[in-house]
Amino acid sequence: MEAPARIKLTIDGREVEATEGSTILDVAQANGIRIPTLCHHPGLSSHGGCRLCVVEIDGAPRLAASCVTPIRKGMAVVTVNDRIIEARRTILEYLFSERSHFCMFCASSGDCELQALAYEYQLDHVDAPSLEGLFPTDASHPDLVIDHNRCILCGRCVRACHEVAGAGVLDFHNRGGRTMIGADLTGPLGQSTCLSCGVCEQVCPTGAIHNRHQTHYAVHGKDKDWQTIESFCPSCGLHCRTVNYVRNNHLLRVEGLLNDSGVDRGQLCRLGRFEPLMSPAVRLDKPLLKNESGQWVELEWPEALSAAGKSLAGLRRKEGQGAVAGYVSSALPEDELAGFKELVLDKLKAGRLDCLDGDIGRKIALALKQAGSRFKEAPLSAVAESDLIVLVGADLESTHPMVCGQVRRALMESKAKLAVIGPVNNFGTWAAVHLPVEGTDMGRALKAITADSASMKDFWSAWEGKGLTQLTETFYASRRPILIAGLELTLSGGVDGLSEAIRLAEARRQAKASYSPLIILKPSGNSEAAWRIGLAGETAAPESKIRGALVCLDGEVEIGDTIPREAEFVAVLTPYFSQQVADRAHLLLPRPTALESRGTYTGLDGSTRMEKQPVLKAPRQVRPLLETLNALADALQGESAGRGKN
Amino acid sequence: MRRWNVEDLYRIKGQTVRGQILDSEGIQARLTVHMGTCGISSGADKVYSALQEELAASKRQDIVLATSGCAGICNREPLVTVEKAGQEAVKYADVDVDTALRIFREHVLEDRLPGDLALVRGWEQPERAFDGVVPETLTNVASIKELPFFNHQELRVMRNRGLISADSMEEYIGVDGYFGAAKALFQMTPHEIVNEVKSSGLRGRGGAGFPTGLKWEFAAASKSEIKYVLCNADEGDPGAFMDRCVLESDPHSVIEGMIIAARAIGSDRGYIYCRAEYPLAVKTLNQAIDQARQHGLLGHNILNSGFSFDLEVYRGAGAFVCGEETALMTSIEGKRGTPRPRPPFPAVSGLWKKPTILNNVETLSSISQIILKGAKWFKSVGTPRSQGTKVFALTGDVKNVGLVEVPMGISLGTIINDIGGGIPKGKKFKAVQLGGPSGGCVPLEHLGASVDYETIPKLGAIVGSGGMIVMDEDKCMVDVARFFMEFCVDESCGKCTPCRVGTRQMLNILTRICNGQGREGDIETLEKWAVIIQNTALCGLGQTAPNPVLSTLRYFRNEYEAHIKDKRCPAVACATMFQSPCQHACPLGMDVPTYVALVKEERLEEAYRVLLRTNPFPSVCGRVCDHNCESKCRRQTLDESVHIKYLKRYITDNGPRPPMARATVNRLEKVAVIGGGPSGLSAAWELAQRGYMVVVYEALPEAGGMLRYGIPEYRLPRRALRAEIQAIVDLGVELRTGVMVGRDISWEDLDARYEAIYVAVGAQKSTRLKVEGENRSGVMGAVEFLRRCNLGQKPEIGSNVIVVGGGNTAIDSARTALRLGASEVTILYRREKEDMPAQEEEITAAVEEGVNLITLSAPARLAGGGDRVEEVVCQRMTLGDYDASGRRKPLPLAGAEFTLKADTVISAIGQQVDAGFQEQTSGHDSGIEFSPQGLVKIKTGSRTRAGETLVFAGGDAVTGPGMVVWAIRDGIAAAEEIDASIRARNGEPAWQKPPVEPIELLPPIVEEDIRESQRSPMPELPAEERRNDFREVELGFDAQTALAEACRCLRCDINEAVE
């Protein structure tokens, strides 16, 4: 195909050249000519609805919407004259009169495109009487609020929900002035199939869709006073890029980079967009020690460090190496993981080092080992290329919302089919088949697809009429299936379950593909790196013997039952004070949150590595983790040395 | 079923045509019941089953019962056509089960035609014309060539209407159906098809009028494996139903058109997008598609030509916007039906982004005929740029409601008045809405406009899909604009701001105006927004939504202004603005419901007092008013309006006149009134009550103006007039009779002595005939003639009197001449009787008394031996097309002259202000200006101000000869303006009307008790008795009649009926 031609036209008397097929708005913007828009968004398809971007073409009386009008050779465009301004002002006036746009009561005041245009067009009053009828405010969703009274029906959220999120949850319903944005037709957002990706909020030009986690608007100030910091989300290993809006070291909003070429097209999920805005528990900004009566007392850092060193070193000395252990969250960046490993193994000389998701890591490692070196996991982009997605033991909506979005998009856009095996089905009737097996039956179901019926006779007879036949038929009808193994498969289906998934994937590997069609989900965004570093080692002391532990959390507010309840001393490095952790710990040492830290993360597929800069500054008393680890090392060293001397 | 090829078409056509022939050997008779939706909704299905039973019972094998679609004249449904061997077909209208059985027995079985039931004989289709002898039983039935509803029509799109059954594909083939498609498939290249359609000049009948051939050419040029042909059957304009008729009655014609279109652009698939509200159309279409598919006329390898095309019906869910082409396509794609921006145009990227053509039902239905008969045939009717015929759905306030197909270029007036039969109930035509909510209205003055794609848009309307809603004088144009705007608000899809919000904002203003809450500046805002919405909205719906507002503003701006400034709805339609329509219709706002109720309670003195609140001349008005109140009376919806005028007269004739105290003069300013007619005296009456000292100057010996010297005594007895003038003098007004301004007192004198002057000199001079011989003696003006009579100077008139003109003055002159002893009195009028401006009861009374009425004639010259007139040479006139008055223009009929003997010729064709007065004032710095017609001009922004200083004018001097009530209204308005101007100049507060005493009335009767009853006629002197003297003709109601008449009032002024 030949390249599109370059053509010449004039805009406001200036001759410009542009590629055929571009819109007037594109060309104007490329040449630094500003045209106001509301429904238009560079990351979305064109809509042509708000009509603010009207321009005059060749003096015609009818004005054209520049966002949807393609350029034509020799056309003369005027973007500003009296009648264009009058038309735009009238349209703005209409928008203001249509619903409730009283800026001083709006959460988005100061950060609103409609308001900004009113200033630009000096709309100091509205002649048209207010048409406002009362529309409902939909506050049924945990993260988002839709106030239909502030909606200007620009449809950006609808397009974003279809085009970016691939969810198709939002759409218009009713018509004319009664038009409203509805989720799953008309229902409230909270009871809809919304995945809480929040892209609708990001593109909303007014305060119609806003998130519930923003603090009161007065804190936000005007958008010009904000700082924007680009970063990425380390949650699940997809490394979605983020733009963080910060004012006075306060995170106001996280946005995706729409137009991004990444597999996520620039959207974020609930974890990337809303979790950073929430504090899961009280922030810990000083070391705390539990006294004899079980109460927490504040300590200065030196005391805290020496208390940790003393207790841990003491236990090791008293009970032996096997009595002390180090546990770490695999969500930490690599350098911190490495630092912790060094501290625990070299300085503390602990008998056990594990990460919190070590069990899963060991099972996956075992399964992969059995599979042999030929097996290679598929990248996430393979989802979009498949015609059947088989989810096994996956609750994507809670563990990997972004992958959930990818699956939805494949269903909507590439018309792929979906089969769900396991207790949880996030997709309802979208799934062509759902086999609600649990535990090791998940692996059996995978085996039953290919195995001869004789060996699986009992299983077949139990599930034949409940979806197994359909699952098998669907699987064989597909040309490019892909399997996604969720955490539940690894946890309750075990190594055998994983091995069945690998076997099935290997069987359907495309002739020239560099990978097998299987994606194995990991618990955190950096699990892969943690395991590679060796934090989920197989050679570990039995847990029952452990009497003391050093734990390093990322942002988790629970530590589970990994550490025996009989432990005499548990020191926890954590950004938050949570009751669950506090119950199990004896010493709490503050550390920065992920947003306040820098570090390197490895992606879900195990190959991409990304460096993250801090977005916020940690509170004054909170030291960087590596610094604390070093100080702890010193304290342990000193303890050992001191004892040695005495 | 077997697939057909071309030979089969010929075979089937032959069989069908042979099978339909009626003869004494085979089938004797055929009854066709017309079963479109219109027919069925009026009961055609019941008629059909009754006939079916009756036919079965008769056991006659040689009689056929058939069905067919709509026969066009929808308000006369159900229609039944009866054909008998060797006889002309007869159509029966308004058939119910009983009449159907009568028709079957009397006409079909017994050959005894029930002539009283028959509507018309013959077929509309020229090829079905009957050339045999019309049997005697049928001669009394009008032929289709004689009925204007049918004979102005030219059936092309509806060529098969009433003729074939929609269920039978064979019958369609029998009328050359699918021969066009066959020709296109076997004998023409796609290029030739496009060219034929292009050169036919066919323009899209859906609304925009885009050339169909051009559209096809673009789509044919687009390169794509897949192309679509779409038919837009989403007819949604209020009042348009022609597409439904075609789909229900002749579905194959649309399918055939689509096959040809598909062949032309290289498409193999299509959709008919039909609204779900047309269930019968959807059913008929699906059935026709199935038939065509089974016989190989749709689907693979049509007629074994190698060409394939298939289509299906897509039902639209009833959104008006889905008639817009891009929204329609979005809807077929399964999405919410909203428009998308163009370009890209559908011919390049339409349905599912493939090249697509979309044509309307009527357009597609025309195609096969163009292919079969050629572009030249199509162009044989129409105008140079609008070819062919167009179907209009004629509805609203018109006698014949239905579908009419007419050649382009026919005048609007012909469609409405001839085909449509004019306005029912004797109402006047006001405007016609063309093109529904996207169109505009066309008023009376453009009835002569040619209906085509060039002329109609120039008038601010559009041809559109052919909706033609006729509106009579009772329709308020602001309300009409509001209605259409409300429609657009409801139907706006909401995608673009101007349409979604702008239309609602405009509707807000329109609603406000209709509710009497309009504000200064509202009109300007409407105009500003209308243009912005037109220029910025996304699709046709929004872009055209303001059209009804702009077009009503263009022609009826005064109605908007009356609503906003005077809080009056001139058409008396906006009910929130008034209590009762009669009171609102009265120029004086007389409290009709109250005085009528008081008559009912026999409280006549109080009733009289109510009359005098707003009208100094109730007794006069009780006799000679043109009673607008009665024309708006709601009783008409039940039977006839209440005789309000006669009840008013009854009060003044029988009630004791309430004594009125002399008004106190409490103001320093003095006001002069020139002219002691109703207008001047009313101004004086109102000013006196406001405390002014008023002097009325009257040139003639007695006051009363035209009431005294124009209207003859037999209509208005002098004692009634004198009593009311005396009451005004008693109030304190000084009356100086016999004083003429300019002769007895100079303008400067008046100017110096008085603070303000009200000029109410009337129009005392008759307009000249401007024909040869006008200066002969015996030729006179009507006003001058009547004045001389009323001065008691009995003019010599001889025995033959010719009166020229058609207004009330002409009638008065004729009847007066009769009473003066003329033996032959003839009124010459150049148009038809229906066009005469005189009140109908006056014309009737004159004819009863023996006045001859010769219409369509005008004097050509007045001849005589000496200098006296002896004869009038008359020119016969004929009526041409409609002129600016909304009537057909009279044109001389060449060579048709006739002569009438005449001793006296009276010209009653118009009046103007006396030239002497014009000279008097224009010579001075009065500031008064005169129009070319010799009438006083009023300054803009005022109702009565005529000069730079405090000079005001009103009555006939401003309006030309008019009704007395308007003269009174002008006088009162002038008094208000004079008072307001003086007070404003002095910085005084506005005058406060003294409060009126409330009147307690008995509760009105509840609605269930109202029975139909006709109005009581006015007792009159017999014609032969009254024509010899000047005694009052109308005798007045007696108490019993008055009571009965008063009881007919529905009391619209009370909002809630008392239980």
Side-chain angles (χ1 to χ4, degrees), chain A residues 287-522:
Chain A
L288 295 177
L289 181 70
K290 204 186 256 173
N291 65 14
E292 278 91 40
S293 51
Q295 269 152 352
W296 289 103
V297 272
E298 277 188 17
L299 290 181
E300 290 305 317
W301 270 105
E303 297 167 323
L305 289 169
S306 91
K310 215 186 223 165
S311 304
L312 290 171
L315 276 169
R316 188 197 58 206
R317 271 200 309 273
K318 203 167 83 191
E319 309 274 344
Q321 241 187 6
V324 287
Y327 295 98
V328 64
S329 161
S330 61
L332 258 53
E334 277 178 43
D335 8 19
E336 292 181 355
L337 288 171
F340 188 79
K341 180 184 175 188
E342 191 189 328
L343 174 75
V344 171
L345 293 183
D346 298 353
K347 302 295 187 310
L348 182 60
K349 298 196 173 22
R352 186 180 170 89
L353 172 65
D354 202 355
C355 48
L356 297 174
D357 54 15
D359 268 356
I360 298 177
R362 278 182 287 278
K363 284 177 181 163
I364 292 175
L366 189 56
L368 290 175
K369 193 176 164 192
Q370 287 170 3
S373 59
R374 190 181 164 274
F375 174 78
K376 190 168 181 316
E377 247 189 89
L380 194 62
S381 57
V383 173
E385 290 154 19
S386 66
D387 62 349
L388 172 70
I389 300 161
V390 185
L391 292 181
V392 199
D395 179 3
L396 297 181
E397 214 170 302
S398 46
T399 63
H400 291 77
M402 190 55 87
V403 179
C404 191
Q406 295 297 315
V407 172
R408 270 197 192 183
R409 202 147 75 192
L411 300 186
M412 296 257 294
E413 293 175 6
S414 358
K415 309 284 178 226
K417 282 192 169 179
L418 173 69
V420 178
I421 303 170
V424 179
N425 174 16
N426 302 137
F427 295 86
T429 52
W430 286 27
V433 50
H434 176 210
L435 193 68
V437 287
E438 292 182 23
T440 48
D441 275 354
M442 290 189 282
R444 276 189 206 106
L446 292 175
K447 190 173 178 188
I449 293 176
T450 48
D452 57 295
S453 47
S455 64
M456 298 294 292
K457 200 175 167 193
D458 290 349
F459 190 80
W460 264 104
S461 57
W463 293 98
E464 199 167 8
K466 297 173 188 165
L468 186 58
T469 320
Q470 211 187 341
L471 171 70
T472 313
E473 281 166 6
T474 312
F475 190 80
Y476 281 106
S478 72
R479 284 177 26 243
R480 294 177 73 90
I482 186 157
L483 280 81
I484 299 179
L487 298 183
E488 188 61 28
L489 177 68
T490 314
L491 277 173
S492 67
V495 179
D496 289 348
L498 268 180
S499 297
E500 286 300 339
I502 290 171
R503 197 177 52 74
L504 198 57
E506 286 283 75
R508 295 300 295 265
R509 185 169 179 158
Q510 301 289 321
K512 286 175 189 164
S514 58
Y515 55 81
S516 296
L518 171 66
I519 295 169
I520 303 171
L521 298 178
K522 286 95 192 177

Side-chain angles (χ1 to χ4, degrees), chain A residues 49 51 63 97-98 129 174 176, chain B residues 336 492 496-497 500 505 535-536:
Chain A
R51 317 304 282 179
L63 303 174
S97 71
E98 189 183 15
N174 286 346
Chain B
R336 178 184 157 83
S492 166
C496 79
T497 318
R500 184 184 71 235
Q505 288 292 5
N535 288 340
T536 59

Side-chain angles (χ1 to χ4, degrees), chain B residues 527-542:
Chain B
E527 283 172 327
K528 177 184 136 185
W529 284 350
V531 172
I532 289 177
I533 295 169
Q534 280 182 331
N535 288 340
T536 59
L538 170 61
C539 81
L541 197 165

Side-chain angles (χ1 to χ4, degrees), chain B residues 503-699:
Chain B
T503 54
R504 284 162 78 206
Q505 288 292 5
M506 286 184 76
L507 176 64
N508 255 359
I509 295 186
L510 291 165
T511 310
R512 188 163 81 201
I513 294 174
C514 287
N515 288 342
Q517 287 151 358
R519 298 174 202 154
E520 199 71 30
D522 274 352
I523 294 178
E524 291 71 20
T525 309
L526 283 176
E527 283 172 327
K528 177 184 136 185
W529 284 350
V531 172
I532 289 177
I533 295 169
Q534 280 182 331
N535 288 340
T536 59
L538 170 61
C539 81
L541 197 165
Q543 287 162 3
T544 58
N547 289 1
V549 175
L550 286 176
S551 85
T552 49
L553 267 173
R554 174 167 166 186
Y555 297 115
F556 299 97
R557 200 185 180 94
N558 55 348
E559 280 199 28
Y560 281 83
E561 284 167 353
H563 280 77
I564 296 170
K565 289 183 187 152
D566 308 336
K567 308 297 172 204
R568 272 181 59 83
C569 174
V572 196
C574 296
T576 47
M577 292 181 86
F578 52 79
Q579 294 266 300
S580 60
C582 47
Q583 182 172 11
H584 198 69
C586 176
L588 303 176
M590 295 193 75
D591 189 356
V592 179
T594 304
Y595 70 71
V596 170
L598 287 169
V599 170
K600 198 172 115 189
E601 295 179 28
E602 296 178 89
R603 293 153 68 185
L604 293 189
E605 186 173 352
E606 283 167 274
Y608 211 150
R609 198 167 282 137
V610 172
L611 298 181
L612 288 171
R613 274 184 199 163
T614 50
N615 186 350
F617 291 105
S619 172
V620 169
C621 287
R623 290 175 161 85
V624 297
C625 185
D626 65 340
H627 51 76
N628 273 326
C629 48
E630 292 181 18
S631 67
K632 304 293 179 187
C633 177
R634 289 219 179 105
R635 180 88 201 188
Q636 286 175 103
T637 56
L638 184 64
D639 39 56
E640 286 180 301
S641 61
V642 176
H643 254 320
I644 300 170
K645 179 174 114 171
Y646 295 153
L647 286 175
K648 183 156 52 220
R649 174 172 165 190
Y650 172 76
I651 298 168
T652 59
D653 281 357
N654 299 283
R657 192 181 170 96
M660 296 273 278
R662 200 176 169 85
T664 327
V665 176
N666 53 15
R667 297 205 58 91
L668 295 170
E669 300 87 356
K670 290 206 273 181
V671 182
V673 172
I674 310 176
S679 194
L681 289 171
S682 299
W685 175 75
E686 179 69 27
L687 284 165
Q689 292 183 76
R690 291 176 181 230
Y692 289 90
M693 163 96 159
V694 191
V695 180
V696 178
Y697 292 90
E698 169 58 51

Side-chain angles (χ1 to χ4, degrees), chain B residues 14-15 68 74 148 191 210 316 349 366 601 714 958 1026:
Chain B
Q15 278 172 2
S68 159
C74 300
H191 185 68
F210 189 81
S349 169
S366 308
E601 295 179 28
Y714 62 85
V958 172
R1026 72 194 191 217

